[in-house]
């Protein structure tokens, strides 16, 4: 079979490409930077994105790994017209939060996939462990400063997401299912930092600051600041729910993710 992977250089997509290639599946990988990517031998790389697909992008493709970006309805229509039979959507756990703008965007993408007539599986991860990369400069400096220290998240290793995606792309066992994905434990921010220190071999400490102090120097756009403050505030009283792994295995802990990315946190 042949699988088309969008976002092939992304935090999840590059794992999906490798896992499929390791299983001997033919992969067509879509990326905006075709001349700058390293992929396993035999992987076909095509340039573009979901808003500017190259001609014949889905020719000979059986399954599509779909990022919920751009005009999803147009993408899945083109896929169906080309004979694609199955779609695995990278969605978000936020679809289950009433009134959440990010959730509404991802749910609209899911609905477009469901309306396409193709077999589908939706992956709904919560917080990516990779989001903690934003701490890397502070970890290297020895102190991580953020508000709402007791907000508890369950960061999910992107490889866990990719393994479920690869299984759903290559098997009919997951068709018509939506999977919430999380890490194995909901951790406060100091506990998240402890896991990073353990995995990466660092020794940073956590210092709680006020929301106003963080907002003044936040390393992300204002709309993301508002989204994160809302998420963290809710997480103080209502920690992220820990989800069973769809493949019946143990989810990778945060310290393992940190070990896998240790060089990013070391000075």
């Amino acid at each position: 079979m042949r699988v088309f992977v969008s976002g092939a250089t992304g935090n999840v997509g590059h794992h999906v490409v490798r896992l499929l290639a390791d299983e001997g599946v033919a992969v067509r990988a879509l990326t905006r930077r075709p001349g700058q990517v390293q992929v396993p031998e035999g992987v076909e790389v095509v340039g573009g994105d979901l808003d500017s697909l190259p001609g014949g992008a889905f020719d000979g493709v059986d399954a599509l790994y779909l990022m919920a970006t751009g005009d999803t309805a147009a993408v899945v229509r083109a896929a169906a017209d080309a004979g694609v039979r199955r779609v695995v959507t990278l969605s978000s756990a936020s679809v289950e939060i009433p009134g959440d703008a990010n959730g509404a965007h991802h749910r609209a993408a899911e609905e477009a996939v469901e309306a396409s007539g193709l077999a589908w599986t939706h992956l709904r991860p919560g917080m990516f462990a990779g989001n903690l990369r934003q701490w890397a400069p502070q970890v290297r400096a020895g102190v991580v400063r953020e508000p709402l220290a007791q907000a508890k998240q369950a960061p999910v290793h992107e490889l866990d997401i990719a393994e479920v995606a690869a299984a759903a792309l290559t098997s009919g066992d997951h068709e018509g299912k939506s999977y919430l994905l999380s890490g194995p434990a909901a951790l406060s921010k100091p506990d998240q930092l402890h896991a990073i220190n353990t995995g990466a071999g660092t020794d940073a400490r956590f210092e709680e600051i006020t929301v106003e102090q963080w907002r003044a120097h936040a390393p992300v756009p204002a709309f993301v600041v508002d989204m994160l403050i809302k998420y963290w505030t809710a997480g103080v009283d209502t920690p992220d729910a820990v989800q069973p792994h769809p493949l019946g295995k143990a989810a990778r802990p945060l310290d393992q993710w940190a070990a896998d990315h240790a060089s990013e946190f070391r000075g």
Side-chain angles (χ1 to χ4, degrees):
M1 71 179 301
R2 176 174 284 105
V3 175
F4 187 100
V5 178
S6 65
T9 57
N11 290 332
V12 179
H14 83 279
H15 288 302
V16 175
V17 169
R18 180 183 58 78
L19 290 169
L20 292 172
D22 286 350
E23 291 296 320
V25 176
V27 177
R28 183 172 296 157
L30 180 70
T31 175
R32 295 188 181 97
R33 304 181 300 277
Q36 303 175 25
V37 299
Q38 294 183 339
V39 295
E41 185 177 355
V43 170
E44 177 188 0
V45 177
V46 294
D49 58 33
L50 290 174
D51 289 324
S52 58
L53 287 168
F58 296 127
D59 289 353
V61 170
D62 301 290
L64 165 63
Y65 171 76
L66 180 64
M67 301 279 292
T69 61
D71 187 346
T72 299
V75 172
V76 293
R77 186 165 53 248
D81 289 346
V84 174
R85 297 180 289 108
R86 179 181 299 144
V87 180
V88 174
T89 314
L90 181 62
S91 184
S92 168
S94 61
V95 299
E96 303 206 350
I97 303 174
D100 185 271
N102 186 56
H105 163 78
H106 282 90
R107 182 56 192 146
E110 291 182 353
E111 290 173 345
V113 170
E114 292 165 14
S116 70
L118 301 176
W120 56 266
T121 305
H122 301 320
L123 308 184
R124 296 173 172 175
M127 173 185 167
F128 284 18
N131 292 357
L132 292 169
R133 284 190 174 96
Q134 69 177 1
W135 282 1
Q138 296 185 83
V139 171
R140 291 193 294 269
V143 184
V144 173
R145 296 181 175 91
E146 270 194 359
L148 299 163
Q150 293 309 308
K152 295 180 177 64
Q153 294 89 41
V156 57
H157 196 308
E158 291 83 3
L159 182 53
D160 279 326
I161 304 170
E163 286 180 341
V164 180
L169 287 162
T170 56
S171 167
D173 294 344
H174 306 278
E175 291 178 1
K177 297 179 180 179
S178 299
Y179 292 127
L180 288 166
L181 302 168
S182 76
L187 305 172
S188 68
K189 292 185 180 184
D191 286 342
Q192 291 174 44
L193 180 57
H194 176 73
I196 290 174
N197 284 334
T198 299
T202 51
D203 191 29
R205 61 183 176 85
F206 190 89
E207 180 180 307
E208 185 170 17
I209 59 176
T210 67
V211 168
E212 292 72 21
Q213 287 172 319
W214 184 74
R215 186 185 294 275
H217 302 286
V220 291
F223 78 94
V224 177
V225 169
D226 292 338
M227 181 178 67
L228 288 174
I229 293 300
K230 181 179 179 180
Y231 174 46
W232 293 337
T233 300
V236 172
D237 295 322
T238 308
D240 281 357
V242 174
Q243 306 295 337
H245 196 293
L247 303 183
K249 58 186 292 185
R252 292 171 173 83
L254 183 57
D255 58 353
Q256 182 174 343
W257 178 88
D260 293 341
H261 299 273
S263 62
E264 300 178 43
F265 292 93
R266 293 174 181 160

